[in-house]
Amino acid sequence: ELIDILNKAASVYYQGKDEIMSNFEYDRMYDELSALEKESGLVLAGSPTQKVGYEVLSELPKQTHPSPMLSLDKTKQVDELSSWLGGKEGLLSWKMDGLTVVLTYENGELLNAVTRGNGVVGEVITNNAKVFKNLPVNIPFKGRMVLRGEAIITYSEFKKINALLSEEEQYKNPRNLCSGSVRQLNNKITKERNVNFFAFNLVSAENVDFKNSRKEQFEWLKTQGFDVVEYKEVTAGNLEDTVHWFEKAIVNNDFPSDGLVILYDDIAYG
């Protein structure tokens, strides 16, 4: 909450508009935020305490994923999902339409970020991930952790950016804009695009017991400062109603989604 308030105040101040708070008030809030970050071990990329060193690369290096990133199976029939789920409990969430990114953390710091690429080899975009709007660059957990998520640009941000471009330069949809923004060679441009990250899969976290539950993993990721893809718990009995809930909700979403994803809550079974 403090990050949003302080960034808004700084933006107004540097644009030479009417100040929304005194320097004294700004400094007080800044100190409070610094103390909270120190106490929690959690620092978000958008925090005003982070002085980002922008870096320009000549090309993005490539990296092989520790395990291949497989494609999802598809269906348009809800009853097929129900029979697939059987008597197990599942989690139903948005399939976000952006660019999949794999993050690795060590000693509480973001170590590297790699795009999905072809599922086997991706491009290293660590400098760019460090300027995503809501991505934690420092987390309380000090072990090695690997997670996957979707980098997205909202519809409102997409419209804003396209409005500044000539007709020939305009992007066709938020996904194309996001892909270009995440893979910039100059991360100053990435920061200006307000890319958001939503975690959807925890690959591994050293010595943490998740009680064999994907839901436990999602809730734990939230405690580490991540925004997690919105999900609902489902059984074969309530699956159809839950699909209808998503169907109604998508109309008002500011983020692009091109379907739903279902997974078993039971990790070992899955």
Side-chain angles (χ1 to χ4, degrees):
E1 190 181 357
L2 286 169
I3 288 170
D4 287 344
I5 295 167
L6 288 167
N7 284 342
K8 192 175 178 188
S11 168
V12 169
Y13 179 83
Y14 288 117
Q15 284 169 14
K17 296 179 182 171
D18 292 339
E19 292 180 19
I20 58 173
M21 64 172 69
S22 66
N23 287 350
F24 177 82
E25 185 70 1
Y26 182 92
D27 291 342
R28 186 189 66 74
M29 285 189 169
Y30 186 96
D31 291 343
E32 186 186 345
L33 175 63
S34 297
L36 282 170
E37 289 177 342
K38 199 173 176 185
E39 183 192 333
S40 66
L42 175 63
V43 183
L44 294 178
S47 172
T49 65
Q50 294 302 290
K51 300 287 182 281
V52 178
Y54 295 114
E55 196 169 333
V56 181
L57 303 173
S58 56
E59 62 174 282
L60 292 170
K62 307 282 189 292
Q63 186 173 310
T64 303
H65 295 296
S67 58
M69 299 191 63
L70 307 174
S71 299
L72 293 161
D73 198 2
K74 294 184 179 73
T75 181
K76 287 189 164 63
Q77 307 302 321
V78 177
D79 55 357
E80 276 186 28
L81 287 190
S82 298
S83 63
W84 178 84
L85 196 54
K88 304 297 270 185
E89 290 175 0
L91 302 178
L92 191 67
S93 63
W94 301 109
K95 180 176 178 289
M96 293 189 141
D97 194 17
L99 194 72
T100 298
V101 177
V102 186
L103 304 175
T104 303
Y105 286 79
E106 240 175 41
N107 301 318
E109 290 181 20
L110 177 63
L111 185 68
N112 72 359
V114 185
T115 66
R116 182 183 186 277
N118 62 8
V120 179
V121 177
E123 292 173 310
V124 180
I125 54 148
T126 313
N127 289 325
N128 294 348
K130 283 178 178 174
V131 297
F132 287 177
K133 193 177 173 187
N134 64 336
L135 186 80
V137 287
N138 293 99
I139 60 172
F141 179 65
K142 299 304 177 215
R144 185 178 173 87
M145 177 180 76
V146 180
L147 74 149
R148 296 169 180 171
E150 199 81 351
I152 61 117
I153 287 178
T154 61
Y155 285 118
S156 47
E157 198 64 36
F158 168 71
K159 284 175 189 159
K160 235 187 274 178
I161 292 165
N162 257 358
L164 300 172
L165 302 171
S166 68
E167 209 167 311
E168 302 78 52
E169 290 177 305
Q170 284 183 354
Y171 288 86
K172 196 175 173 186
N173 53 49
R175 186 182 193 279
N176 288 2
L177 174 59
C178 183
S179 180
S181 303
V182 166
R183 296 168 62 251
Q184 285 289 329
L185 297 175
N186 180 351
N187 65 345
K188 189 172 191 293
I189 299 169
T190 307
K191 184 173 175 67
E192 289 163 357
R193 299 281 175 84
N194 285 325
V195 177
N196 280 280
F197 178 85
F198 290 89
F200 62 66
N201 176 224
L202 179 62
V203 179
S204 61
E206 272 179 349
N207 304 319
V208 183
D209 179 13
F210 296 109
K211 305 184 185 77
N212 193 36
S213 163
R214 290 282 178 207
K215 184 191 173 190
E216 288 278 337
Q217 288 185 333
F218 277 166
E219 295 308 309
W220 181 80
L221 281 170
K222 289 178 187 176
T223 70
Q224 299 302 309
F226 293 94
D227 284 332
V228 171
V229 62
E230 184 181 20
Y231 70 89
K232 300 279 181 191
E233 296 175 70
V234 289
T235 60
N238 72 355
L239 186 60
E240 192 167 357
D241 286 345
T242 312
V243 169
H244 288 318
W245 181 90
F246 278 99
E247 198 173 22
K248 290 191 185 107
I250 198 170
V251 182
N252 301 312
N253 281 353
D254 193 25
F255 59 83
S257 168
D258 57 346
L260 299 172
V261 176
I262 191 167
L263 60 153
Y264 294 115
D265 182 50
D266 184 326
I267 298 169
Y269 184 81

